[in-house]
Coordinates of all heavy atoms in Angstrom, one line a residue:
Chain A
G272 N 62.0 80.5 276.8 CA 61.7 79.1 276.8 C 61.0 78.7 278.1 O 61.3 79.2 279.2
S273 N 59.9 77.9 277.9 CA 59.1 77.7 279.0 C 59.5 76.5 279.9 O 58.9 76.2 280.9 CB 57.6 77.5 278.6 OG 57.6 76.4 277.7
S274 N 60.5 75.7 279.4 CA 61.1 74.7 280.2 C 62.6 74.8 280.3 O 63.2 75.5 279.4 CB 60.7 73.3 279.6 OG 59.4 73.0 279.7
C275 N 63.2 74.2 281.2 CA 64.6 74.3 281.4 C 65.3 73.4 280.3 O 65.1 72.1 280.3 CB 65.0 73.8 282.8 SG 66.7 73.9 283.1
S276 N 66.0 74.0 279.4 CA 66.6 73.2 278.3 C 67.8 72.5 278.9 O 68.3 72.8 279.9 CB 67.1 74.2 277.2 OG 68.1 75.0 277.7
V277 N 68.3 71.5 278.1 CA 69.5 70.7 278.5 C 70.7 71.7 278.7 O 71.4 71.6 279.6 CB 69.8 69.7 277.4 CG1 71.1 68.9 277.8 CG2 68.6 68.7 277.3
E278 N 70.8 72.7 277.7 CA 71.8 73.6 277.8 C 71.8 74.4 279.1 O 72.8 74.5 279.8 CB 71.6 74.6 276.6 CG 72.8 75.3 276.1 CD 72.4 76.1 274.8 OE1 71.8 75.5 273.9 OE2 72.7 77.3 274.8
N279 N 70.6 74.9 279.4 CA 70.4 75.7 280.7 C 70.8 74.8 281.9 O 71.4 75.3 282.8 CB 69.0 76.2 280.8 CG 68.7 77.4 279.9 OD1 69.6 78.0 279.4 ND2 67.4 77.7 279.8
A280 N 70.3 73.6 281.8 CA 70.5 72.7 283.0 C 72.0 72.5 283.2 O 72.5 72.5 284.4 CB 69.9 71.3 282.7
K281 N 72.8 72.4 282.1 CA 74.2 72.3 282.3 C 74.9 73.5 282.9 O 75.7 73.4 283.8 CB 74.9 72.1 280.9 CG 74.9 70.6 280.4 CD 75.6 70.5 279.1 CE 75.3 69.1 278.5 NZ 75.7 69.1 277.1
S282 N 74.4 74.7 282.4 CA 75.0 75.9 283.0 C 74.7 76.1 284.4 O 75.5 76.4 285.3 CB 74.3 77.2 282.3 OG 74.5 77.0 280.9
I283 N 73.4 75.7 284.8 CA 73.0 75.8 286.2 C 73.8 74.8 287.0 O 74.3 75.2 288.1 CB 71.5 75.5 286.3 CG1 70.6 76.6 285.7 CG2 71.1 75.3 287.8 CD1 69.2 76.2 285.5
A284 N 73.9 73.6 286.5 CA 74.7 72.6 287.3 C 76.1 73.1 287.6 O 76.6 73.0 288.7 CB 74.7 71.3 286.5
A285 N 76.7 73.8 286.6 CA 78.1 74.3 286.8 C 78.0 75.4 287.9 O 78.9 75.4 288.8 CB 78.6 74.9 285.5

Side-chain angles (χ1 to χ4, degrees):
Chain A
S273 58
S274 289
C275 182
S276 66
V277 177
E278 203 173 310
N279 284 346
K281 276 186 194 162
S282 308
I283 291 171

